[in-house]
Amino acid sequence: MKFTSRTIGIAALSLLLLLLAACSNASTSSPAEETTSTTNTTETSASAENTNKTTYPLTIENFTISGEGGEWKPKVQVFDKTPERVVANTQSAAEMLIKLGLTDKMVGVAALYGSVTPDVADDFAQIPVLSKDYVGKELVVGASPDLVLGRGDLFADADWGVGTVDGLNDMNIRTFLQTTNHKGSLDSLYSDIAQLGQIFDVQENAATFTESLKTRVAAIKASVADQPDHTFAYIVPATEDTITVSSMQNDTYQLDALGLLKLKNTFDGVQGEVSVEQLITANPDYLLLSAYAGSPDIDKLIENLYANPALQSMNAIKNKQIYVTDFSQFWGYGYQILDGIEKMGQEMKLIQSSNDLSQ
């Protein structure tokens, strides 16, 4: 077949137009395709957001305790919905819930033995106080809670106890024992916060709070990175005129926190009572004690320690190295222990600097 130049030109032009149309179709999605793409993206985003939402019923691994001073045993707690009426058996436990944005969930708090953290004081004032001391089961149950939480060794049928876990559970009241109170560590604190985040469906608040605590821990460690280890002994403030020493063998949570300052327990491994003679022989660098509402006169106790003739050979006495922590910050088993550790670290550095200048 013979092709003229005109025929060839028309054919080439037609082919070019077809190619352009094909490219245009390939690069432009139809409205339906755009809708499908947007919907898929939205669904993916929503799915990602929902991964951190609590699905009820929620099963939490926790504990029961077999009577006063008894053995801790695993026991699950099942939450059918977000708790709406919560009793905290200690001040520090209530403050932790405030930090998670749960003030409006609390119907009772007890054991106000320390100073309230300033940044939660206004919220804390809104919580009904069941007792300034440790609270009994009758007052706790009278608040009609659906959850009782806090220090594990306060879950007992005693005047100072909120009732046993099994007893409260039998009344359809869920329980949550802080694991910081059971062979605890700072990791136990983070775990408690994460579980509370799940229980109350406030995971984002829990994660943010935990990260802030970990940042503080890192800063404390960095502040003493170039410091040597020091030893300490804990003095129980029984009276202003006596010296009662604790070996702190079971106080793993407090010991873990003190370790951030490179403080080592002088009586690590010692079982039973510690005598004054043992204290003098061990010669710790620091003496620690805690002040609480109703405690003996702490200033008088310290004055007596410094003046005691039997203690004059001790480094802690000669160098004026006695430090006082707030009860809630040290024995509350909450995040407030970092407040106490930070304050102690600052005071130790200030006093150390003063001693260096005087030499």
Side-chain angles (χ1 to χ4, degrees):
M1 183 182 292
K2 182 185 279 189
F3 293 92
T4 65
S5 59
R6 176 181 174 80
T7 302
I8 294 172
I10 291 173
L13 180 60
S14 298
L15 179 60
L16 178 61
L17 290 173
L18 286 171
L19 289 172
L20 288 173
C23 289
S24 176
N25 287 336
S27 62
T28 304
S29 300
S30 68
E33 289 173 331
E34 289 180 351
T35 301
T36 301
S37 176
T38 302
T39 300
N40 288 340
T41 301
T42 302
E43 288 176 351
T44 301
S45 176
S47 176
E49 291 176 359
N50 288 334
T51 56
N52 287 328
K53 301 293 288 182
T54 298
T55 300
Y56 299 99
L58 171 71
T59 299
I60 290 290
E61 299 288 339
N62 202 241
F63 292 91
T64 184
I65 185 169
S66 57
E68 182 180 349
E71 180 184 359
W72 288 59
K73 298 179 181 178
K75 183 176 184 181
V76 301
Q77 296 291 311
V78 179
F79 295 85
D80 296 324
K81 60 183 181 63
T82 304
E84 297 294 338
R85 298 181 60 83
V86 184
V87 167
N89 68 16
T90 66
Q91 169 187 324
S92 58
E95 290 187 30
M96 188 155 61
L97 293 187
I98 292 172
K99 285 287 191 178
L100 295 177
L102 301 169
T103 306
D104 61 342
K105 305 286 188 183
M106 281 184 280
V107 295
V109 63
L112 311 189
Y113 290 122
S115 301
V116 177
T117 309
D119 64 348
V120 301
D122 290 343
D123 284 83
F124 191 85
Q126 301 175 32
I127 306 170
V129 177
L130 302 182
S131 172
K132 291 184 178 180
D133 299 317
Y134 294 125
V135 67
K137 180 178 178 179
E138 183 177 354
L139 288 176
V140 170
V141 174
S144 301
D146 52 12
L147 171 63
V148 179
L149 61 79
R151 255 179 61 182
D153 55 7
L154 297 179
F155 283 83
D157 284 331
D159 292 341
W160 45 262
V162 297
T164 64
V165 168
D166 294 341
L168 292 170
N169 289 170
D170 288 343
M171 291 185 285
N172 202 32
I173 300 172
R174 303 278 71 77
T175 52
F176 183 86
L177 282 60
Q178 292 170 275
T179 61
T180 49
N181 189 212
H182 175 55
K183 302 176 182 178
S185 66
L186 291 172
D187 284 339
S188 305
L189 173 64
Y190 307 146
S191 176
D192 284 350
I193 293 171
Q195 287 196 313
L196 289 171
Q198 288 182 292
I199 291 169
F200 289 96
D201 197 15
V202 289
Q203 290 89 333
E204 185 174 346
N205 291 358
T208 299
F209 184 39
T210 297
E211 284 307 308
S212 72
L213 297 177
K214 289 181 176 180
T215 298
R216 291 172 66 184
V217 165
I220 294 170
K221 288 182 176 180
S223 72
V224 297
D226 59 348
Q227 299 289 326
D229 291 348
H230 289 92
T231 58
F232 76 89
Y234 183 80
I235 305 297
V236 180
T239 72
E240 295 94 340
D241 303 313
T242 59
I243 302 174
T244 305
V245 186
S246 170
S247 67
M248 296 190 70
Q249 283 310 290
N250 298 318
D251 304 318
T252 57
Y253 184 61
Q254 289 76 15
L255 293 174
D256 190 38
L258 288 168
L260 299 177
L261 291 175
K262 293 186 173 181
L263 298 180
K264 308 297 182 183
N265 182 16
T266 300
F267 298 107
D268 182 33
V270 175
Q271 300 294 330
E273 296 182 0
V274 176
S275 68
V276 175
E277 289 73 19
Q278 285 176 291
L279 175 67
I280 295 170
T281 301
N283 192 21
D285 299 314
Y286 302 138
L287 295 179
L288 310 181
L289 50 90
S290 296
Y292 58 92
S295 68
D297 188 326
I298 297 298
D299 290 335
K300 184 65 176 176
L301 171 58
I302 293 174
E303 180 183 332
N304 289 341
L305 288 170
Y306 281 136
N308 191 319
L311 306 182
Q312 296 308 302
S313 64
M314 291 175 55
N315 291 335
I317 299 299
K318 290 189 295 185
N319 298 325
K320 304 295 184 184
Q321 299 282 31
I322 299 178
Y323 298 94
V324 181
T325 62
D326 180 84
F327 182 88
S328 183
Q329 292 175 350
F330 200 67
W331 297 109
Y333 295 93
Y335 73 91
Q336 298 89 339
I337 199 165
L338 294 184
D339 297 333
I341 294 298
E342 287 167 343
K343 177 175 177 288
M344 189 183 299
Q346 291 164 1
E347 290 178 349
M348 285 178 175
K349 281 197 169 185
L350 287 173
I351 293 177
Q352 185 62 49
S353 298
S354 175
N355 287 343
D356 290 343
L357 288 174
S358 65
Q359 293 176 358

